[in-house]
Amino acid sequence: MSAIDPHSVAMLRHAVATLAYRSGKALRDAPEGFGDFQAGSGARTPVEILAHMGDLLEWALSIADGKPNWGPAAPQSWDKECKRYFSALAAFDARLASHEPIQRTPERLLQAPVADALTHTGQLTLMRRMAGSPVRGENYYVAPIAAGKVGPDQDPPRSEF
């Protein structure tokens, strides 16, 4: 494999921070019981989606290490899954920020686990609206997103509507 472009890794880290910001907004202040909300017959519940998002980020880390390992975990409580998800985001971002070269291309990491998690973030946002607890829209172009800021505590929005 040829050398990984550091600019691509920087862009991937920004995408991971974007995921953290957007998903944090969808997860923060969710109403009690939201994790078990039923959007329809056969649809995953929010806690099942969130568990899958944690799986995706753990998979991303294993891919970056050159040892891809997909291992879906059984969903836990909403609070535990939120913690697990943000821990997985932090571990993946720390791996990208390390001086150890990643073993797969940033483009592949973006197109699979990161993009999938962004899609599921949109699902959770829609489900919040369906559950009567909508997430406010925002001009994400001016959002305070920065590589490395991947925890549940994000800066306040600059331009919600």
Side-chain angles (χ1 to χ4, degrees):
M1 184 173 76
S2 60
I4 300 292
D5 176 13
H7 298 293
S8 294
V9 175
M11 182 64 80
L12 179 59
R13 286 193 70 215
H14 190 80
V16 170
T18 299
L19 173 60
Y21 184 86
R22 287 181 171 230
S23 62
K25 194 167 180 170
L27 301 174
R28 203 170 20 262
D29 302 323
E32 188 169 330
F34 175 68
D36 298 319
F37 176 75
Q38 292 290 318
S41 178
R44 287 189 211 176
T45 63
V47 76
E48 290 170 329
I49 292 170
L50 182 56
H52 176 64
M53 291 169 67
D55 297 339
L56 288 167
L57 274 296
E58 289 170 355
W59 179 49
L61 178 59
S62 75
I63 293 169
D65 285 339
K67 300 172 188 166
N69 181 32
W70 175 253
Q76 302 176 67
S77 72
W78 179 257
D79 289 340
K80 285 182 181 179
E81 287 301 336
C82 284
K83 287 177 183 147
R84 176 177 168 248
Y85 170 71
F86 282 108
S87 291
L89 263 175
F92 180 50
D93 184 67
R95 176 66 177 83
L96 295 175
S98 76
H99 295 294
E100 182 72 24
I102 60 174
Q103 301 302 306
R104 299 295 186 267
T105 66
E107 292 83 2
R108 295 285 180 168
L109 287 161
L110 174 64
Q111 79 185 31
V114 174
D116 197 14
L118 279 165
T119 297
H120 293 305
T121 295
Q123 289 177 312
L124 291 173
T125 301
L126 177 62
M127 292 172 92
R128 284 278 305 264
R129 180 168 297 280
M130 292 170 66
S133 179
V135 175
R136 290 187 68 185
E138 181 174 348
N139 177 351
Y140 289 105
Y141 183 80
V142 299
I145 297 169
K149 188 145 180 67
V150 295
D153 298 323
Q154 297 285 321
D155 292 335
R158 291 189 182 146
S159 182
E160 282 187 321
F161 45 87

